[in-house]
Amino acid sequence: GAGVSQSPSNKVTEKGKDVELRCDPISGHTALYWYRQSLGQGLEFLIYFQGNSAPDKSGLPSDRFSAERTGGSVSTLTIQRTQQEDSAVYLCASSQTPLALYDGAVQDVEQFFGPGTRLTVL
Amino acid sequence: DAKTTQPTSMDCAEGRAANLPCNHSTISGNEYVYWYRQIHSQGPQYIIHGLKNNETNEMASLIITEDRKSSTLILPHATLRDTAVYYCIVRVALRSGYSTLTFGKGTMLLVSP
């Protein structure tokens, strides 16, 4: 079966333009996550979807960032009025079951990552 | 606010065991420790996770100290393809009450011939 796919693999845009990044999770995975990885840094959590709803958007860095998920499958991360500091690799991951409410007692299931979209804002 | 600390980089000779340490002194009694790795230009890949017992799978072994304040990931016979950044992760709570995996900077493992 196919893994998580993301498109485009590379995106170069000019400052101030809007961009859309797409993620196709593994079929049947109900949970979907977006992360950002800046050069030489660890992964920064952005947003998490359970089905089509996003119970936690606290990681989105500004109101220029938004995301949606339709049909419990494909997700789109949109960055409006891009800035140079938005340049990074944007990674999407999916898992079979959702993140637990934080009680520490439930083990998360494995997250499967896509190859990422490298965004360069000139 | 990273909950784990790892060395920035490590070297290992091909065929030898690679032992990657991780400190997680603030871990709660029922939180799991996860290990992922990221090969250059790829997304992270799950390796193993554990609570308090040592774990082993086809990729690696995980040794967790009795007090659970540290752990070691062991690649028993490292190959050149194991060159990657290795992340030791403990779940962190989000404001919503949900949790996520927080990836720090990890350990860059370089396996040499």
Side-chain angles (χ1 to χ4, degrees):
Chain A
V4 178
S5 62
Q6 293 185 245
S7 61
S9 55
N10 281 285
K11 177 71 177 178
V12 180
T13 190
E14 294 179 348
K15 178 181 172 181
K17 301 281 190 181
D18 298 351
V19 295
E20 283 190 353
L21 312 179
R22 176 187 169 107
C23 172
D24 278 277
I26 293 173
S27 178
H29 280 193
T30 59
L32 185 147
Y33 318 82
W34 282 98
Y35 295 85
R36 177 169 73 172
Q37 187 171 33
S38 302
L39 186 64
Q41 302 297 312
L43 273 70
E44 174 189 4
F45 169 79
L46 298 178
I47 190 169
Y48 151 64
F49 284 94
Q50 177 52 37
N52 291 333
S53 65
D56 199 298
K57 303 179 182 179
S58 61
L60 294 177
S62 78
D63 59 8
R64 297 186 295 105
F65 287 72
S66 62
E68 65 175 12
R69 188 180 184 195
T70 55
S73 181
V74 173
S75 176
T76 303
L77 177 69
T78 301
I79 309 173
Q80 296 178 308
R81 304 181 302 281
T82 53
Q83 304 293 314
Q84 288 182 330
E85 61 262 29
D86 299 334
S87 295
V89 176
Y90 289 82
L91 289 155
C92 173
S94 69
S95 66
Q96 202 166 19
T97 57
L99 290 171
L101 286 170
Y102 187 78
D103 59 3
V106 180
Q107 54 180 311
D108 289 326
V109 296
E110 178 181 349
Q111 293 186 20
F112 294 83
F113 283 81
T117 293
R118 180 175 298 279
L119 175 66
T120 303
V121 182
L122 302 177
Chain B
D1 51 344
K3 297 180 70 173
T4 64
T5 56
Q6 299 176 253
T8 303
S9 63
M10 293 185 65
D11 295 328
C12 180
E14 187 178 20
R16 304 296 294 269
N19 297 283
L20 293 97
C22 178
N23 288 322
H24 32 78
S25 58
T26 61
I27 194 171
S28 298
N30 53 6
E31 286 182 311
Y32 284 78
V33 179
Y34 305 83
W35 284 83
Y36 279 70
R37 73 179 183 184
Q38 188 173 24
I39 295 170
H40 183 61
S41 297
Q42 297 182 21
Q45 174 193 25
Y46 166 84
I47 301 173
I48 199 167
H49 73 281
L51 182 62
K52 52 185 176 183
N53 297 321
N54 297 338
E55 302 288 342
T56 295
N57 62 22
E58 65 278 4
M59 289 183 69
S61 294
L62 176 61
I63 308 298
I64 303 174
T65 58
E66 193 169 338
D67 63 8
R68 302 208 333 114
K69 293 185 176 181
S70 65
S71 61
T72 300
L73 180 75
I74 301 172
L75 309 178
H77 306 286
T79 71
L80 299 180
R81 288 191 298 269
D82 292 322
T83 292
V85 177
Y86 287 77
Y87 298 98
C88 169
I89 303 157
V90 175
R91 280 198 306 162
V92 293
L94 301 171
R95 276 177 273 164
S96 61
Y98 286 84
S99 63
T100 187
L101 302 179
T102 296
F103 292 70
K105 295 187 180 180
T107 296
M108 176 65 216
L109 175 68
L110 177 62
V111 181
S112 304

